[in-house]
Amino acid sequence: MASWAEVVAFTQPMSSKRAEAKADADKEIAFRVMANVPVIVLDIVAEVRRVVPMRWGFPHPKDWRRPQPIHARAEGIDTTQAFADAFRDGQRGIVLVKTFNEAPDMEGPTIQHTITPGEEPAIGIAFVWRRFQSPDLPAPMLAACMVTVAVNKLIAALPTDRMPAVLDAADWAIWLAEEAATPERIKACLKTQEGLRWSMAREERAEKARRPKPMVSDPKGLF
């Protein structure tokens, strides 16, 4: 979760035109699989950072409407066929968030937990992206996958074994290909964040009110 104004502010200095943006730019938005997410990328021509909307989830080989895969494991990101080209060619991006969700890996209803990264205003999660084009697509598609790493001690308590790859601020330039680096150094940006003042809380959802049973004397349950 983040606000659009925060995403823009992290990419480059705010211009006077941006400063006059509508107040609703500060509304918080939730990022979901299959929806567009604001991915910070490097414009290699202008050599500046830009925010580009991309669908979360690569298109399935047999049906572009289905998002598969949606995650890229950091351990094999440079060798897995789906991600290796994007990783090598600098098609790497960052999605800025204030919080993110995790759920236990167990049977039964999904119980979401919200992780808040301490007092930091936002954190950058690593993504890889690609441009897809095929006869079945109405237009070329930009799609991105979140990079994941092994969980830290806090999130392992759920229990689950994966979490987003949160980038150190010092690694942003390397991940975005602004600074030249070896594949080994780029991959080293993807690490489990430990020892931070993060908090985790179960997400409470309001129960839906039950519709009253309609009766002749009180028929409002019919509507």
Side-chain angles (χ1 to χ4, degrees):
M1 179 175 288
S3 75
W4 185 258
E6 288 169 326
V7 173
V8 173
F10 266 69
T11 59
Q12 52 193 341
M14 295 287 282
S15 67
S16 58
K17 185 176 181 180
R18 290 195 185 95
E20 296 171 0
K22 294 180 180 179
D24 61 2
D26 284 326
K27 290 183 178 178
E28 292 183 343
I29 54 175
F31 305 144
R32 305 183 187 282
V33 174
M34 285 197 68
N36 281 342
V37 294
V39 183
I40 302 171
V41 301
L42 176 67
D43 181 332
I44 60 175
V45 176
E47 296 185 344
V48 296
R49 296 177 184 178
R50 299 197 185 280
V51 180
V52 180
M54 301 185 188
R55 191 185 82 167
W56 184 348
F58 285 1
H60 188 280
K62 295 183 179 180
D63 183 2
W64 63 268
R65 298 172 185 82
R66 294 166 55 192
Q68 184 181 333
I70 61 174
H71 295 146
R73 295 175 71 94
E75 295 84 349
I77 197 169
D78 53 343
T79 56
T80 303
Q81 183 177 358
F83 313 116
D85 288 347
F87 175 81
R88 182 187 64 247
D89 297 340
Q91 291 177 302
R92 305 183 297 268
I94 299 172
V95 172
L96 195 68
V97 302
K98 294 176 65 175
T99 64
F100 63 91
N101 278 22
E102 292 288 350
D105 293 331
M106 59 179 61
E107 296 182 359
T110 300
I111 304 174
Q112 293 287 349
H113 290 69
T114 300
I115 292 84
T116 303
E119 298 177 354
E120 299 175 53
I123 55 173
I125 295 177
F127 274 68
V128 289
W129 62 272
R130 287 178 56 197
R131 183 177 184 269
F132 294 88
Q133 189 169 7
S134 74
D136 297 331
L137 280 169
M141 172 191 291
L142 292 177
C145 285
M146 175 193 289
V147 183
T148 66
V149 294
V151 291
N152 58 23
K153 293 180 180 179
L154 173 69
I155 301 173
L158 283 176
T160 187
D161 62 353
R162 306 298 295 179
M163 64 174 282
V166 177
L167 298 166
D168 287 336
D171 289 336
W172 277 41
I174 292 175
W175 183 252
L176 292 176
E178 292 174 337
E179 295 182 8
T182 64
E184 293 75 19
R185 176 63 183 91
I186 299 169
K187 192 173 179 179
C189 296
L190 307 173
K191 55 194 175 186
T192 302
Q193 297 285 356
E194 289 281 12
L196 301 175
R197 298 177 62 184
W198 290 7
S199 62
M200 181 170 66
R202 178 168 173 163
E203 186 178 89
E204 300 293 341
R205 296 188 177 181
E207 296 185 2
K208 294 183 179 179
R210 293 186 177 183
R211 297 176 65 183
K213 185 177 180 179
M215 297 179 293
V216 174
S217 59
D218 184 13
K220 64 182 179 181
L222 293 171
F223 304 100

